[in-house]
Amino acid sequence: MNPNSPVEVMDAEAHHMAAIQSIYSHYVLNDLCSFEEEPPTAIEMLSRRAEVLRLGLPYLVAMADGRVVGYAYADAYRSRPAYRHTVENSIYVAPGQQGRGVGRALLETLLARCAAGGFSQMVVIVGNSTNAGSIRLHESLGFERVGVLRQVGFKFGQWVDTVLMQRSLRDLAGK
Ligand SMILES: CC(C)(COP(=O)(O)OP(=O)(O)OC[C@H]1O[C@@H](n2cnc3c(N)ncnc32)[C@H](O)[C@@H]1OP(=O)(O)O)[C@@H](O)C(=O)NCCC(=O)NCCS
């Protein structure tokens, strides 16, 4: 795939979910960014996407040269009703496609869509405090670090921190 080919972000459709499942499985099996340990099936991924859409939230895919190169979605931050204006994001770029702006393109669109949908805060819980790519991507688009939860995960035989980051969506509303 040409690393300079343009990246297009669009709503993910059911037929994208096999490629999305393959990207996510890679990170579940090989990386500390996800705290899952068993890759969910494509059917489970479809069901998770359906729940995101049911909440009126975006589930996006990034395409280049006709192939899925990344995906992102927003989900409820927590289920209790007073949290209903706050969303949490997830972003995964295909192995080999990182560092060429795919994550930025996905997160910019996700922020705009959530702001337009009336949500007021977006948080991200970055798995692994040494995840420089995710921390940098989020800082670059206006997220602030609000804390570190130390050793709340245990994966691949080691304790893992999470970094909590937050961005208001209010400045984006109406744009
Ligand atoms: C984190 C991730 C989504 C970033 O997406 P990406 O497409 O690689 O990032 P981009 O090319 O859009 O770069 C965005 C910014 O992050 C910076 N960046 C990207 N990777 C980086 C790295 N490994 N180290 C430091 N900075 C990095 C870029 O320089 C750019 O900074 P700028 O805005 O100041 O120019 C992607 O690398 C990924 O999928 N990682 C594995 C899964 C993961 O950790 N997901 C996040 C879960 S919280």
Side-chain angles (χ1 to χ4, degrees):
M1 193 184 300
N2 179 352
N4 298 318
S5 53
V7 174
E8 186 184 1
V9 174
M10 61 184 75
D11 286 304
E13 304 289 344
H15 66 86
H16 294 125
M17 294 311 290
I20 286 172
Q21 192 265 352
S22 166
I23 293 170
Y24 185 56
S25 295
H26 168 83
Y27 291 111
V28 169
L29 293 172
N30 299 291
D31 201 286
L32 297 171
C33 62
S34 167
F35 278 18
E36 288 198 79
E37 295 183 313
E38 298 275 336
T41 63
I43 289 173
E44 169 64 17
M45 297 286 284
L46 262 173
S47 146
R48 293 181 188 184
R49 169 176 160 273
E51 177 60 13
V52 165
L53 299 183
R54 191 187 67 76
L55 294 171
L57 288 163
Y59 200 119
L60 306 173
V61 69
M63 306 291 298
D65 287 335
R67 285 173 51 188
V68 173
V69 291
Y71 72 98
Y73 60 91
D75 205 348
Y77 169 54
R78 302 196 70 174
S79 59
R80 297 202 174 160
Y83 287 114
R84 65 187 171 279
H85 301 292
T86 299
V87 296
E88 178 181 342
N89 79 42
S90 295
I91 306 179
Y92 293 90
V93 173
Q97 298 296 319
Q98 295 166 316
R100 55 170 287 202
V102 175
R104 169 177 274 273
L106 283 163
L107 185 52
E108 281 177 343
T109 306
L110 200 72
L111 284 164
R113 291 278 297 274
C114 290
F119 296 93
S120 66
Q121 298 288 329
M122 184 179 283
V123 301
V124 58
I125 299 168
V126 180
N128 183 15
S129 50
T130 62
N131 190 339
S134 182
I135 291 169
R136 178 66 209 141
L137 167 65
H138 285 92
E139 282 177 343
S140 165
L141 288 176
F143 285 74
E144 290 179 328
R145 292 189 214 206
V146 290
V148 176
L149 292 172
R150 302 206 183 280
Q151 302 191 352
V152 289
F154 188 82
K155 186 173 177 181
F156 304 150
Q158 61 191 291
W159 294 105
V160 190
D161 300 342
T162 58
V163 180
L164 183 62
M165 303 181 74
Q166 176 174 9
R167 191 201 197 286
S168 171
L169 300 174
R170 293 191 175 111
D171 61 311
L172 300 173
K175 282 191 178 170

